[in-house]
Amino acid sequence: MQTPEGEPFPNGSYPFRFSIYATENDTNTLWTETQPLVEVTDGLSNTIIFGETPPPSNLFDQWDSLWLEVAIDRDNDGFAQEDIFNPRTPLHAVPFALYANAAAVRPQHLQL
């Protein structure tokens, strides 16, 4: 992970904001979650999204593509335009996840 200026991100704990959009340049947020402290070590971080704020139940059924935006409040003054990492990252479903979702939507009846 690098700062917007291209420097390695300093070690520490930072507020992170994750947002999902329908397109790469959309301004309408479909979902957002702020995590108050995410640890960054040697430019790497690890966290679980949807842990604090569950997504809308139809988020992954409703859109053909979804884009993830990540922002890090590196100076603890609120999220500003310069805190947003660009470009947004496209989210892709893996085939097994699509199969599992279809199975959950259409329960199979057991025949004996």
Side-chain angles (χ1 to χ4, degrees):
M1 180 180 317
Q2 295 180 336
T3 66
E5 296 80 25
E7 300 295 320
F9 212 88
N11 292 346
S13 295
Y14 301 92
F16 274 53
R17 183 183 68 203
F18 302 96
S19 302
I20 293 181
Y21 297 85
T23 67
E24 185 175 12
N25 299 310
D26 200 352
T27 57
N28 181 34
T29 306
L30 301 174
W31 170 88
T32 192
E33 173 177 273
T34 300
Q35 296 185 9
L37 293 176
V38 175
E39 187 70 30
V40 175
T41 305
D42 297 329
L44 301 174
S45 64
N46 185 11
T47 190
I48 298 173
I49 64 172
F50 306 126
E52 301 290 323
T53 308
S57 60
N58 63 348
L59 179 66
F60 297 101
D61 296 335
Q62 189 174 349
W63 304 98
D64 291 336
S65 64
L66 294 172
W67 295 79
L68 177 67
E69 177 181 275
V70 178
I72 302 175
D73 183 8
R74 56 189 169 148
D75 48 14
N76 208 23
D77 67 347
F79 293 98
Q81 188 64 35
E82 61 269 10
D83 294 328
I84 298 172
F85 282 75
N86 285 307
R88 291 178 181 161
T89 302
L91 297 178
H92 300 282
V94 295
F96 184 77
L98 293 173
Y99 174 78
N101 186 50
V105 172
R106 294 183 307 249
Q108 302 297 315
H109 295 284
L110 203 60
Q111 293 183 0
L112 300 174

